[in-house]
């Protein structure tokens, strides 16, 4: 099926006529559809029409904007299972993971519908004869650039607050999951978002991204993806363009000597192997007290071996394929690096595409547990973004905190213990934006600020969490009202 951009209230092809294919990672023979491979002309047209449309939306009552988002939530609730099945086919998540993401979108829409009514200015003490107050206004045209691993939820938690604040949106979904981008736009248009206010521009490669980030008509850019791309975006935007960047992670779970082994293993399993390890908050490292080291390694290996890998809609499948051939190759390359470094591959890291005829056309890799890594191992420092967990022994909490913090990232970290003084010390000293205790590094609340430190985020504003998000999508004007 051929899909189109949505620009100026119309579904249209790329100006050049170029297209790209979208195929299922579970079976690369399965063609989901073709999508426009857009360029600078398409971006320019989108910016122009959204730039003309957003002032009327900004002038609309907050009740109207909230009502549209509430309607979008209702539509998404009705379509959640249908869209979840498409998400599994396009991105590879298990059907349970896909349903969870699809159903969460309705909650996102309702949260930010409320923010349309709650976002406000303030009054300030002043001299007699005048009133001083601030107004919050939308920033204007917001470019939303999203990754493939949460193609619905990351887009919704950017687009919904942008619309709630009165902005117009140009949405560039990942070329890996373009159908999910289209489905989200369809829901919003059906709910009553003005057709010219929301542009959907498909495309692949660096050129389409540069056309968006360099355009002078873009007032704000919100991006989630890799640090390398985020750095390029930051360097290419003008000084008067707002830029919000949420990037990578190299997240650790620390297990202290008093931890329950089964509980720790279950926490790590969810963080490391859920979503095929393709979450920015996923557990990539385990730092475990030396007395528990061998027992936990074997427990994790047993857990990993029990995970059924297969197409996300297959009965009993607990882990789907990697989302792309590039991710598949990257994960296997890190398994090779571990071997070269002399680490012990306790289990997994095998290409099931090559060993299982039933999986021969998908990007399947068995979940891996790797132990006995040498100091300075690349598997302890570099983001892999797959179902690979590296386990290292530690002797003290302070040593674990230092190791967890020695990478360039600072997104999420978890501690498994029942010792309250250790919890308090850990929470205070670690340099991560998300700190979990007795829970997996993955999984965050809709209403809680989300974002990392160091290379994980530029900390322009938190990406999620109600009022903290609205700071990015609004600007403050100070008014001095004299008699």
């Amino acid at each position: 099926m051929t899909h189109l951009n949505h620009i100026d209230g119309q579904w249209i092809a790329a100006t050049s006529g170029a297209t790209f294919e979208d195929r299922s990672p579970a079976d690369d023979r399965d063609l989901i559809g073709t999508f426009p491979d857009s360029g600078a002309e398409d971006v320019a047209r989108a910016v122009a029409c959204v730039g003309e449309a957003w002032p009327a939306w900004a002038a609309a009552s907050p009740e109207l904007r909230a009502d549209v988002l509430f309607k979008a939530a209702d539509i998404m609730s009705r379509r959640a299972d249908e869209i979840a099945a498409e998400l599994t086919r396009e991105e590879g998540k298990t059907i349970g993971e896909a349903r969870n993401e699809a159903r969460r979108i309705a909650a996102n829409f309702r949260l930010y519908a409320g923010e349309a009514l709650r976002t406000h200015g303030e009054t300030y003490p002043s001299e007699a004869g005048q009133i001083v107050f601030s107004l919050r206004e939308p920033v204007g045209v917001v470019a939303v650039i999203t990754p493939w691993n949460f193609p619905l939820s990351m887009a919704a938690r950017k687009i919904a607050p942008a619309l709630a604040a009165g902005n117009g949106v140009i949405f560039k979904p990942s070329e890996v999951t373009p159908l999910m981008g289209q489905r989200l736009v369809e829901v919003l248009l059906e709910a009553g978002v003005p057709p010219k206010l929301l542009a959907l521009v498909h495309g692949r490669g660096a050129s389409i991204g540069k056309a968006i980030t360099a355009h002078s008509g873009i007032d704000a850019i919100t991006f989630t993806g890799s640090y390398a791309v985020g750095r390029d975006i930051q360097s290419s935007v003008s000084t008067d363009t707002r830029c919000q960047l949420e990037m990578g992670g190299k997240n650790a779970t620390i297990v202290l000597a008093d931890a329950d082994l089964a509980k720790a293993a279950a926490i790590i399993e969810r963080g490391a192997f859920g979503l095929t390890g393709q979450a920015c908050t996923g557990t990539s490292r385990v730092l475990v007290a030396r007395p528990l080291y061998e027992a936990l390694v074997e427990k994790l290996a047993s857990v990993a071996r029990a995970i059924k890998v297969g197409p996300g809609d297959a009965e009993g499948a607990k882990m789907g394929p990697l989302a792309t051939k590039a991710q598949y190759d990257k994960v296997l390359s890190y398994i090779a690096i571990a071997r070269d470094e002399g680490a012990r591959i306790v289990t997994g890291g095998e290409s099931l595409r090559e060993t299982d005829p039933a999986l021969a056309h998908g990007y399947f890799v068995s979940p891996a547990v790797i132990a006995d890594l040498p100091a300075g191992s690349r598997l302890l420092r570099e983001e892999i973004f797959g179902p690979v967990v590296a386990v290292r022994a530690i002797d003290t909490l302070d040593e674990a905190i230092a190791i967890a913090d020695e990478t360039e990232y600072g997104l999420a970290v978890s501690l498994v213990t029942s010792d309250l003084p250790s919890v308090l010390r850990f929470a205070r000293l670690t340099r991560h934006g998300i700190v979990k205790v007795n829970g997996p590094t993955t999984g965050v609340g809709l209403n809680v600020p989300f974002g990392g430190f160091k290379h994980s985020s530029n900390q322009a504003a938190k990406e999620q969490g109600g009022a903290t998000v609205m700071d990015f999508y609004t600007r403050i004007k100070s008014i001095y009202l004299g008699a």
Side-chain angles (χ1 to χ4, degrees):
M1 182 177 179
T2 300
H3 299 273
L4 301 168
N5 289 329
H6 183 264
I7 300 174
D8 201 12
Q10 305 173 62
W11 292 99
I12 57 175
T15 302
S16 66
T19 62
F20 65 92
E21 292 184 344
D22 178 23
R23 292 182 178 271
S24 172
D27 187 340
D28 56 19
R29 299 167 299 179
D30 179 13
L31 177 63
I32 294 169
T34 58
F35 290 81
D37 197 1
S38 307
E41 290 183 38
D42 304 294
V43 171
R45 183 175 179 184
V47 173
C49 75
V50 173
E52 291 177 2
W54 78 264
W57 178 249
S61 70
E63 290 85 357
L64 185 149
R65 297 198 297 270
D67 186 54
V68 168
L69 289 173
F70 278 127
K71 288 178 180 176
D74 292 341
I75 295 166
M76 192 67 210
S77 291
R78 291 197 302 269
R79 295 189 61 186
D81 286 351
E82 162 208 338
I83 292 176
E86 292 181 318
L87 173 56
T88 289
R89 181 185 175 201
E90 184 175 49
E91 194 271 347
K93 284 181 170 68
T94 65
I95 191 63
E97 292 167 341
R99 285 174 180 154
N100 182 61
E101 180 174 352
R103 291 167 183 168
R104 190 178 174 94
I105 304 313
N108 269 291
F109 286 153
R110 292 188 180 102
L111 173 68
Y112 293 113
E115 289 303 320
L117 302 172
R118 284 191 292 267
T119 302
H120 58 82
E122 296 178 319
T123 58
Y124 302 91
S126 61
E127 63 186 71
Q130 72 173 359
I131 297 174
V132 180
F133 61 98
S134 62
L135 294 176
R136 281 192 178 268
E137 300 179 338
V139 296
V141 178
V142 177
V144 172
I145 305 174
T146 55
W148 47 260
N149 60 326
F150 288 97
L152 293 172
S153 64
M154 287 191 184
R157 74 190 196 198
K158 295 174 185 289
I159 295 173
L163 294 175
N167 298 287
V169 172
I170 295 168
F171 175 30
K172 161 60 177 76
S174 169
E175 63 268 30
V176 176
T177 50
L179 183 61
M180 291 300 96
Q182 179 171 323
R183 293 293 183 252
L184 199 61
V185 168
E186 289 171 353
V187 167
L188 289 164
L189 293 174
E190 183 180 345
V193 171
K196 295 189 177 185
L197 185 75
L198 176 59
L200 171 67
V201 184
H202 292 292
R204 59 180 178 174
S207 60
I208 180 69
K210 289 179 180 177
I212 293 172
T213 59
H215 199 291
S216 61
I218 299 290
D219 299 296
I221 296 169
T222 175
F223 165 82
T224 298
S226 71
Y227 172 72
V229 175
R231 179 188 57 202
D232 289 345
I233 290 174
Q234 184 81 76
S235 65
S236 67
V237 300
S238 65
T239 55
D240 58 350
T241 301
R242 289 194 177 188
C243 190
Q244 178 193 65
L245 306 173
E246 292 293 342
M247 297 168 285
K250 185 65 177 176
N251 314 297
T253 292
I254 299 168
V255 181
L256 298 188
D258 70 318
D260 176 88
L261 205 63
K263 180 179 180 179
I267 287 171
I268 295 162
E269 177 187 10
R270 181 177 171 187
F273 303 134
L275 305 161
T276 318
Q278 297 174 132
C280 57
T281 55
T283 302
S284 184
R285 299 175 291 163
V286 173
L287 309 176
V288 55
R290 197 172 299 278
L292 296 183
Y293 177 73
E294 288 296 344
L296 184 59
V297 166
E298 288 306 314
K299 183 68 174 175
L300 289 176
S302 177
V303 164
R305 293 185 191 108
I307 293 173
K308 180 179 178 179
V309 180
D313 57 358
E315 184 176 353
K318 291 184 66 179
M319 194 177 93
L322 292 155
T324 67
K325 178 64 160 55
Q327 283 302 118
Y328 167 84
D329 290 339
K330 181 180 180 181
V331 169
L332 292 179
S333 75
Y334 274 95
I335 301 301
I337 289 168
R339 289 195 181 95
D340 291 344
E341 290 181 341
R344 173 166 53 112
I345 300 173
V346 184
T347 192
E350 299 173 340
S351 169
L352 302 181
R353 180 184 177 97
E354 297 178 358
T355 60
D356 187 339
L359 305 179
H361 296 283
Y363 305 128
F364 297 97
V365 174
S366 56
V369 176
I370 302 176
D372 303 343
L373 294 107
S377 169
R378 291 177 60 187
L379 275 77
L380 291 169
R381 294 182 288 107
E382 299 175 9
E383 187 177 37
I384 301 173
F385 219 65
V388 179
V389 64
V391 190
R392 176 172 174 173
I394 50 97
D395 292 303
T396 67
L397 174 62
D398 284 358
E399 179 192 8
I401 292 172
I403 294 170
D405 288 349
E406 68 184 5
T407 72
E408 61 189 6
Y409 298 109
L411 183 52
V413 66
S414 172
L415 177 69
V416 185
T417 185
S418 58
D419 182 62
L420 182 58
S422 294
V423 169
L424 296 176
R425 182 170 181 79
F426 166 71
R428 185 176 67 254
L429 294 180
T430 187
R431 293 185 295 156
H432 289 77
I434 299 169
V435 179
K436 298 283 201 77
V437 176
N438 295 322
T441 53
T442 53
V444 293
L446 294 176
N447 60 333
V448 180
F450 177 96
F453 298 163
K454 299 186 285 184
H455 283 183
S456 291
S457 173
N458 70 343
Q459 284 286 300
K462 292 293 187 179
E463 188 181 354
Q464 181 171 294
T468 60
V469 173
M470 303 308 286
D471 287 341
F472 180 75
Y473 295 103
T474 58
R475 60 187 182 185
I476 298 175
K477 181 184 290 181
S478 299
I479 313 295
Y480 292 74
L481 180 61

